[in-house]
Amino acid sequence: MLQLRPNCECCDRDLPPDSTEAVICTFECTFCRDCATRVLKGECPNCGGEMLQRPRRPAAKLAKFPASTERVLHPGGCSS
Ligand SMILES: [Zn+2]
Ligand SMILES: [Zn+2]
């Protein structure tokens, strides 16, 4: 199951579970669309993998399967 991390690893922007702005890599490194496209050019800085839009979890499921609240932040942010 996806963790649904609450923030962008680069800019620490909030990415709620219903956001369409969240993208993830296969390891669930999580970024906002701005950072993923403008700064990272579609490639995960941690693993080099591709990043795709994170699927949204329906609200009814979030009660039983809540999103992660643990913020993950890239040390020093993501340089361009
Ligand atoms: Zn960001
Ligand atoms: Zn990654």
Side-chain angles (χ1 to χ4, degrees):
M1 188 175 78
L2 291 174
Q3 293 176 13
L4 298 173
R5 294 176 186 170
N7 67 313
C8 171
E9 215 172 289
C10 283
C11 66
D12 203 26
R13 176 187 310 196
D14 284 338
L15 294 171
D18 63 349
S19 174
T20 57
E21 294 296 304
V23 296
I24 58 174
C25 79
T26 187
F27 295 107
E28 284 195 65
C29 309
T30 304
F31 305 95
C32 69
R33 192 179 298 281
D34 275 355
C35 289
T37 55
R38 289 185 204 170
V39 181
L40 305 172
K41 313 292 186 201
E43 188 175 284
C44 177
N46 301 323
C47 68
E50 65 181 338
M51 296 190 288
L52 299 172
Q53 183 181 328
R54 185 177 68 185
R56 287 167 294 161
R57 186 166 300 167
K61 299 292 183 203
L62 278 168
K64 192 171 179 187
F65 304 101
S68 168
T69 56
E70 188 181 333
R71 300 181 85 84
V72 177
L73 199 55
H74 206 264
C78 301
S79 54
S80 50

XYZ file of all heavy atoms in Angstrom:
606
model
N 0.841 -1.197 0.000
C 0.000 0.000 0.000
C 0.877 1.249 0.000
O 1.914 1.287 0.653
C -0.883 -0.021 1.259
C -1.932 1.060 1.266
S -3.023 0.903 2.695
C -2.005 1.595 3.985
N 0.438 2.237 -0.715
C 1.191 3.484 -0.776
C 1.192 4.185 0.578
O 0.204 4.184 1.296
C 0.567 4.430 -1.804
C 0.690 4.031 -3.277
C -0.108 5.004 -4.128
C 2.137 4.028 -3.712
N 2.319 4.827 0.882
C 2.389 5.581 2.135
C 1.606 6.887 2.059
O 1.083 7.364 3.049
C 3.850 5.919 2.462
C 4.701 4.716 2.789
C 6.160 5.106 2.999
O 6.493 6.274 3.132
N 7.018 4.115 3.015
N 1.572 7.465 0.853
C 0.957 8.787 0.678
C 1.615 9.814 1.597
O 0.998 10.348 2.522
C -0.553 8.736 0.925
C -1.364 7.838 -0.020
C -2.801 7.756 0.435
C -1.286 8.326 -1.446
N 2.876 10.057 1.356
C 3.624 11.020 2.179
C 3.033 12.417 2.044
O 2.518 12.772 0.981
C 5.095 11.016 1.756
C 5.763 9.693 2.068
C 7.193 9.678 1.554
N 7.776 8.336 1.726
C 8.937 7.959 1.192
N 9.639 8.814 0.453
N 9.402 6.755 1.388
N 3.124 13.195 3.117
C 2.361 14.450 3.184
C 3.022 15.662 2.541
O 2.440 16.747 2.561
C 2.228 14.679 4.702
C 3.471 14.057 5.272
C 3.769 12.871 4.397
N 4.223 15.502 1.991
C 4.898 16.702 1.491
C 5.831 16.389 0.331
O 6.193 15.235 0.106
C 5.724 17.345 2.620
C 6.888 16.467 3.047
O 6.723 15.277 3.266
N 8.066 17.044 3.156
N 6.224 17.464 -0.362
C 7.220 17.341 -1.422
C 8.606 17.246 -0.796
O 8.949 18.038 0.078
C 7.145 18.556 -2.352
S 8.512 18.633 -3.550
N 9.387 16.297 -1.273
C 10.706 16.066 -0.713
C 11.676 17.210 -1.028
O 12.693 17.369 -0.370
C 11.251 14.750 -1.282
C 12.097 13.960 -0.323
C 12.444 12.585 -0.862
O 11.541 11.722 -0.928
O 13.602 12.385 -1.213
N 11.364 17.980 -2.056
C 12.241 19.092 -2.443
C 11.882 20.392 -1.742
O 12.724 21.023 -1.130
C 12.172 19.316 -3.941
S 13.109 18.117 -4.888
N 10.631 20.817 -1.871
C 10.258 22.157 -1.412
C 9.357 22.123 -0.178
O 8.944 23.166 0.311
C 9.575 22.935 -2.532
S 7.989 22.247 -3.030
N 9.059 20.927 0.316
C 8.280 20.751 1.540
C 6.842 21.260 1.410
O 6.176 21.502 2.395
C 8.974 21.426 2.726
C 8.531 20.805 4.059
O 8.124 19.635 4.055
O 8.592 21.505 5.079
N 6.381 21.428 0.197
C 4.993 21.821 -0.013
C 4.059 20.694 0.458
O 4.380 19.520 0.299
C 4.793 22.082 -1.508
C 3.371 22.414 -1.913
C 3.265 22.484 -3.419
N 4.310 23.345 -4.007
C 4.273 23.822 -5.247
N 3.261 23.521 -6.030
N 5.246 24.570 -5.715
N 2.930 21.062 0.999
C 1.963 20.052 1.424
C 1.353 19.349 0.220
O 0.961 19.994 -0.754
C 0.836 20.696 2.237
C 1.295 21.035 3.647
O 2.283 20.431 4.116
O 0.681 21.910 4.272
N 1.279 18.030 0.281
C 0.667 17.229 -0.776
C -0.353 16.287 -0.147
O -0.050 15.135 0.167
C 1.740 16.430 -1.528
C 2.751 17.244 -2.334
C 3.877 16.354 -2.838
C 2.081 17.959 -3.495
N -1.565 16.800 0.067
C -2.597 15.959 0.685
C -2.933 14.761 -0.191
O -2.644 14.758 -1.394
C -3.792 16.917 0.830
C -3.520 18.037 -0.101
C -2.034 18.138 -0.246
N -3.511 13.729 0.416
C -3.769 12.482 -0.331
C -4.686 12.646 -1.531
O -4.676 11.802 -2.425
C -4.396 11.548 0.722
C -4.700 12.384 1.898
C -3.851 13.612 1.834
N -5.459 13.744 -1.555
C -6.346 13.946 -2.707
C -5.741 14.912 -3.716
O -6.399 15.330 -4.663
C -7.720 14.453 -2.247
C -7.634 15.811 -1.573
O -6.509 16.262 -1.266
O -8.689 16.422 -1.352
N -4.466 15.251 -3.538
C -3.828 16.190 -4.451
C -3.539 15.548 -5.797
O -3.123 14.387 -5.867
C -2.505 16.685 -3.839
O -1.824 17.493 -4.773
N -3.748 16.316 -6.857
C -3.358 15.837 -8.180
C -1.974 16.350 -8.546
O -1.471 16.088 -9.637
C -4.359 16.311 -9.253
O -4.433 17.729 -9.211
C -5.735 15.722 -9.000
N -1.350 17.079 -7.627
C -0.037 17.674 -7.880
C 1.099 16.780 -7.397
O 2.263 17.131 -7.538
C 0.058 19.029 -7.163
C -0.893 20.078 -7.699
C -0.583 20.431 -9.143
O 0.556 20.818 -9.423
O -1.480 20.289 -9.988
N 0.772 15.643 -6.792
C 1.810 14.776 -6.235
C 2.277 13.761 -7.265
O 1.468 13.146 -7.956
C 1.274 14.051 -5.005
N 3.586 13.586 -7.368
C 4.145 12.528 -8.206
C 5.101 11.700 -7.357
O 5.721 12.198 -6.430
C 4.887 13.083 -9.446
C 3.937 13.824 -10.369
C 6.037 13.971 -9.034
N 5.198 10.415 -7.697
C 6.061 9.514 -6.931
C 6.885 8.644 -7.869
O 6.524 8.423 -9.019
C 5.241 8.577 -6.005
C 4.247 7.742 -6.807
C 4.529 9.371 -4.912
C 3.514 6.698 -5.976
N 8.007 8.137 -7.340
C 8.780 7.141 -8.076
C 8.436 5.763 -7.515
O 7.611 5.634 -6.609
C 10.275 7.419 -7.953
S 10.984 6.856 -6.386
N 9.088 4.758 -8.006
C 8.744 3.400 -7.593
C 9.044 3.145 -6.130
O 8.481 2.255 -5.505
C 9.470 2.374 -8.491
O 8.997 1.074 -8.189
C 10.969 2.419 -8.276
N 9.944 3.950 -5.538
C 10.241 3.827 -4.117
C 9.421 4.807 -3.278
O 9.681 4.977 -2.097
C 11.735 4.060 -3.855
C 12.608 3.006 -4.468
C 13.373 3.286 -5.589
C 12.664 1.737 -3.925
C 14.189 2.315 -6.164
C 13.473 0.755 -4.481
C 14.233 1.049 -5.604
N 8.498 5.480 -3.934
C 7.632 6.442 -3.268
C 8.368 7.689 -2.791
O 7.935 8.337 -1.839
C 6.863 5.812 -2.094
C 5.714 4.957 -2.566
C 4.750 4.626 -1.447
O 4.120 5.562 -0.936
O 4.652 3.452 -1.091
N 9.497 8.010 -3.397
C 10.028 9.345 -3.224
C 8.934 10.254 -3.775
O 8.412 10.007 -4.859
C 11.319 9.542 -4.019
S 12.560 8.259 -3.721
N 8.560 11.280 -3.019
C 7.363 12.046 -3.329
C 7.701 13.505 -3.600
O 8.422 14.129 -2.822
C 6.368 11.947 -2.147
O 6.113 10.566 -1.887
C 5.071 12.672 -2.448
N 7.178 14.028 -4.699
C 7.475 15.401 -5.096
C 6.222 16.071 -5.619
O 5.277 15.408 -6.038
C 8.555 15.421 -6.188
C 9.815 14.693 -5.803
C 10.004 13.379 -6.168
C 10.784 15.325 -5.034
C 11.151 12.688 -5.785
C 11.937 14.645 -4.639
C 12.113 13.322 -5.025
N 6.251 17.416 -5.614
C 5.165 18.128 -6.266
C 5.462 18.175 -7.762
O 6.597 17.960 -8.199
C 5.030 19.539 -5.687
S 6.372 20.651 -6.089
N 4.434 18.469 -8.541
C 4.604 18.448 -9.982
C 5.599 19.516 -10.447
O 6.370 19.295 -11.388
C 3.246 18.651 -10.657
C 3.242 18.373 -12.138
C 1.870 18.576 -12.737
N 0.866 17.682 -12.181
C 0.729 16.405 -12.535
N 1.527 15.902 -13.446
N -0.196 15.645 -11.996
N 5.583 20.647 -9.786
C 6.510 21.718 -10.148
C 7.959 21.259 -10.055
O 8.747 21.422 -10.985
C 6.314 22.930 -9.231
C 5.203 23.831 -9.730
O 4.670 23.555 -10.826
O 4.884 24.795 -9.022
N 8.316 20.701 -8.912
C 9.698 20.250 -8.727
C 10.015 19.107 -9.682
O 11.099 19.060 -10.263
C 9.922 19.789 -7.289
S 9.940 21.134 -6.085
N 9.090 18.197 -9.844
C 9.339 17.023 -10.684
C 9.625 17.416 -12.121
O 10.493 16.846 -12.774
C 8.149 16.073 -10.618
N 8.902 18.417 -12.628
C 9.063 18.771 -14.030
C 10.144 19.836 -14.221
O 10.992 19.714 -15.089
C 7.738 19.265 -14.630
O 7.255 20.346 -13.836
C 6.716 18.159 -14.642
N 10.118 20.883 -13.382
C 11.035 22.008 -13.611
C 12.426 21.746 -13.069
O 13.425 22.042 -13.699
C 10.485 23.271 -12.938
C 9.262 23.808 -13.648
C 8.827 25.113 -13.016
N 7.408 25.355 -13.256
C 6.726 26.316 -12.663
N 7.319 27.113 -11.800
N 5.456 26.486 -12.925
N 12.499 21.175 -11.869
C 13.805 20.999 -11.225
C 14.404 19.639 -11.547
O 15.586 19.516 -11.863
C 13.667 21.167 -9.690
C 15.032 21.020 -9.008
C 13.050 22.526 -9.358
N 13.575 18.614 -11.488
C 14.104 17.254 -11.584
C 13.994 16.666 -12.987
O 14.527 15.589 -13.246
C 13.356 16.355 -10.590
C 13.391 16.854 -9.130
C 12.466 16.023 -8.258
C 14.804 16.829 -8.579
N 13.286 17.359 -13.866
C 13.139 16.909 -15.257
C 12.587 15.496 -15.358
O 13.011 14.697 -16.197
C 14.484 16.974 -16.005
C 15.247 18.269 -15.820
C 14.533 19.428 -16.483
C 15.411 20.690 -16.390
N 14.643 21.924 -16.542
N 11.668 15.163 -14.456
C 10.977 13.887 -14.551
C 11.754 12.687 -14.049
O 11.313 11.549 -14.191
N 12.928 12.935 -13.456
C 13.738 11.815 -12.988
C 13.971 11.946 -11.484
O 14.378 13.004 -10.997
C 15.079 11.812 -13.728
C 15.918 10.581 -13.448
C 17.181 10.566 -14.305
O 17.070 10.266 -15.516
O 18.261 10.870 -13.773
N 13.728 10.862 -10.763
C 13.904 10.903 -9.309
C 15.370 11.127 -8.948
O 16.242 10.407 -9.435
C 13.414 9.595 -8.687
S 13.694 9.558 -6.905
N 15.660 12.125 -8.081
C 17.045 12.419 -7.721
C 17.649 11.367 -6.798
O 18.864 11.287 -6.651
C 16.952 13.772 -7.001
C 15.576 13.773 -6.417
C 14.708 13.014 -7.405
N 16.817 10.557 -6.192
C 17.320 9.550 -5.252
C 17.656 8.238 -5.944
O 18.665 7.605 -5.641
C 16.281 9.291 -4.156
C 15.948 10.558 -3.379
O 16.805 11.381 -3.125
N 14.692 10.706 -3.021
N 16.836 7.818 -6.869
C 17.022 6.498 -7.463
C 17.171 6.542 -8.981
O 17.468 5.521 -9.599
C 15.864 5.579 -7.075
S 14.293 6.062 -7.799
N 16.946 7.720 -9.584
C 17.095 7.823 -11.032
C 15.925 7.280 -11.815
O 15.966 7.215 -13.036
N 14.879 6.876 -11.115
C 13.729 6.271 -11.772
C 12.739 7.308 -12.256
O 12.847 8.491 -11.950
N 11.758 6.846 -13.006
C 10.740 7.745 -13.522
C 9.725 8.071 -12.430
O 9.560 7.335 -11.468
C 10.019 7.110 -14.719
C 9.222 5.867 -14.342
C 8.530 5.245 -15.551
O 8.321 5.946 -16.537
O 8.213 4.052 -15.483
N 9.073 9.201 -12.607
C 8.082 9.643 -11.643
C 6.739 9.823 -12.340
O 6.661 10.381 -13.425
C 8.531 10.949 -11.000
C 9.814 10.757 -10.195
S 10.225 12.168 -9.190
C 10.747 13.323 -10.454
N 5.712 9.331 -11.689
C 4.365 9.382 -12.246
C 3.407 9.963 -11.219
O 3.694 9.976 -10.022
C 3.905 7.971 -12.620
C 4.744 7.248 -13.680
C 4.300 5.795 -13.812
C 4.660 7.953 -15.026
N 2.257 10.412 -11.705
C 1.284 10.987 -10.781
C 0.859 9.956 -9.736
O 0.610 8.798 -10.058
C 0.047 11.484 -11.535
C -0.935 12.160 -10.588
C -2.200 12.651 -11.286
O -2.165 13.035 -12.438
N -3.299 12.640 -10.557
N 0.818 10.399 -8.509
C 0.399 9.516 -7.420
C -1.115 9.330 -7.464
O -1.847 10.317 -7.527
C 0.798 10.149 -6.083
C 0.515 9.257 -4.879
C 0.993 9.884 -3.598
N 0.212 11.062 -3.244
C 0.479 11.862 -2.206
N 1.542 11.626 -1.466
N -0.270 12.906 -1.939
N -1.569 8.095 -7.446
C -3.023 7.886 -7.450
C -3.636 8.394 -6.161
O -3.041 8.274 -5.091
C -3.169 6.363 -7.582
C -1.866 5.789 -7.166
C -0.811 6.847 -7.395
N -4.810 8.972 -6.292
C -5.495 9.500 -5.117
C -6.265 8.388 -4.415
O -6.823 7.513 -5.068
C -6.447 10.628 -5.520
C -5.721 11.908 -5.890
C -6.646 12.872 -6.564
N -7.091 12.346 -7.868
C -8.161 12.776 -8.512
N -8.890 13.730 -8.006
N -8.490 12.258 -9.676
N -6.256 8.440 -3.117
C -7.015 7.453 -2.351
C -8.391 8.026 -2.033
O -8.483 9.124 -1.495
C -6.268 7.115 -1.055
C -6.918 5.982 -0.251
C -5.968 5.472 0.824
N -4.730 4.961 0.210
C -3.615 4.691 0.889
N -3.573 4.870 2.182
N -2.543 4.255 0.273
N -9.444 7.285 -2.341
C -10.779 7.813 -2.069
C -10.950 8.143 -0.587
O -10.446 7.430 0.283
C -11.705 6.653 -2.477
C -10.898 5.822 -3.403
C -9.471 5.962 -2.961
N -11.668 9.224 -0.314
C -11.833 9.696 1.060
C -12.386 8.607 1.971
O -11.998 8.491 3.129
C -12.744 10.912 1.070
N -13.278 7.797 1.445
C -13.879 6.745 2.266
C -12.840 5.728 2.737
O -12.993 5.100 3.780
C -14.978 6.038 1.480
N -11.780 5.580 1.948
C -10.741 4.610 2.309
C -9.707 5.209 3.256
O -8.995 4.484 3.954
C -10.016 4.116 1.052
C -10.904 3.402 0.065
C -11.382 2.075 0.607
C -12.207 1.350 -0.452
N -13.127 0.378 0.147
N -9.620 6.523 3.266
C -8.589 7.171 4.082
C -8.829 6.973 5.574
O -7.900 6.960 6.367
C -8.527 8.664 3.766
C -7.719 9.010 2.517
C -7.965 10.464 2.141
C -6.245 8.747 2.713
N -10.091 6.822 5.964
C -10.389 6.611 7.379
C -9.782 5.295 7.857
O -9.208 5.209 8.939
C -11.893 6.623 7.601
N -9.897 4.280 7.018
C -9.386 2.964 7.396
C -7.909 2.804 7.050
O -7.158 2.128 7.733
C -10.206 1.890 6.690
C -9.952 0.495 7.231
C -10.940 -0.507 6.652
C -10.652 -1.904 7.203
N -11.489 -2.927 6.547
N -7.505 3.451 5.950
C -6.118 3.352 5.501
C -5.525 4.750 5.394
O -5.404 5.300 4.295
C -6.054 2.644 4.131
C -6.699 1.294 4.119
C -7.968 1.118 3.597
C -6.031 0.190 4.636
C -8.567 -0.142 3.574
C -6.627 -1.066 4.615
C -7.897 -1.234 4.092
N -5.198 5.343 6.518
C -4.784 6.757 6.512
C -3.441 6.973 5.825
O -2.599 6.076 5.758
C -4.696 7.101 8.006
C -4.500 5.804 8.705
C -5.186 4.766 7.870
N -3.279 8.200 5.335
C -2.025 8.574 4.701
C -0.941 8.752 5.752
O -1.212 9.042 6.919
C -2.215 9.881 3.932
N 0.306 8.581 5.322
C 1.439 8.800 6.209
C 1.483 10.255 6.677
O 1.108 11.171 5.939
C 2.740 8.470 5.478
O 3.856 8.924 6.223
N 1.912 10.481 7.898
C 2.091 11.853 8.393
C 3.571 12.168 8.569
O 3.935 13.236 9.038
C 1.377 12.051 9.747
O 1.860 11.077 10.672
C -0.125 11.902 9.597
N 4.414 11.227 8.196
C 5.851 11.410 8.376
C 6.440 12.173 7.200
O 6.474 11.678 6.068
C 6.528 10.042 8.499
C 7.990 10.121 8.873
C 8.642 8.741 8.956
O 7.922 7.754 9.232
O 9.855 8.657 8.719
N 6.890 13.388 7.465
C 7.433 14.228 6.394
C 8.844 13.771 6.046
O 9.689 13.601 6.916
C 7.441 15.694 6.824
C 6.063 16.221 7.155
C 6.108 17.676 7.560
N 6.079 18.572 6.418
C 4.963 18.959 5.805
N 3.794 18.535 6.225
N 5.017 19.786 4.791
N 9.071 13.587 4.760
C 10.398 13.223 4.274
C 10.913 14.392 3.468
O 10.229 14.901 2.580
C 10.351 11.949 3.385
C 11.721 11.640 2.830
C 9.812 10.772 4.189
N 12.105 14.858 3.813
C 12.664 16.019 3.135
C 14.073 15.691 2.657
O 14.874 15.150 3.396
C 12.677 17.217 4.086
C 12.788 18.608 3.467
C 11.697 18.849 2.427
C 12.719 19.654 4.568
N 14.336 16.039 1.396
C 15.669 15.793 0.834
C 16.670 16.692 1.534
O 16.456 17.883 1.644
C 15.635 16.112 -0.674
C 16.650 15.358 -1.465
N 17.873 15.885 -1.790
C 16.619 14.108 -1.974
C 18.552 14.991 -2.484
N 17.819 13.908 -2.612
N 17.778 16.144 2.024
C 18.765 16.978 2.718
C 19.294 18.079 1.799
O 19.795 17.800 0.718
C 19.878 16.000 3.109
C 19.550 14.685 2.528
C 18.176 14.725 1.954
N 19.122 19.323 2.239
C 19.594 20.438 1.441
C 18.673 20.793 0.282
O 19.016 21.627 -0.550
N 17.511 20.174 0.199
C 16.609 20.428 -0.914
C 17.153 19.841 -2.200
O 18.179 19.155 -2.189
N 16.476 20.066 -3.309
C 16.926 19.540 -4.588
C 17.514 20.684 -5.410
O 16.817 21.625 -5.728
C 15.768 18.896 -5.341
S 15.020 17.545 -4.426
N 18.765 20.608 -5.722
C 19.372 21.642 -6.539
C 19.032 21.433 -8.002
O 18.886 20.300 -8.443
C 20.892 21.641 -6.340
O 21.388 20.351 -6.585
N 18.939 22.496 -8.720
C 18.577 22.381 -10.126
C 19.808 22.118 -10.979
O 20.912 22.383 -10.579
C 17.890 23.658 -10.600
O 18.664 24.767 -10.242
Zn 8.208 20.612 -4.595
Zn 13.176 7.500 -6.178
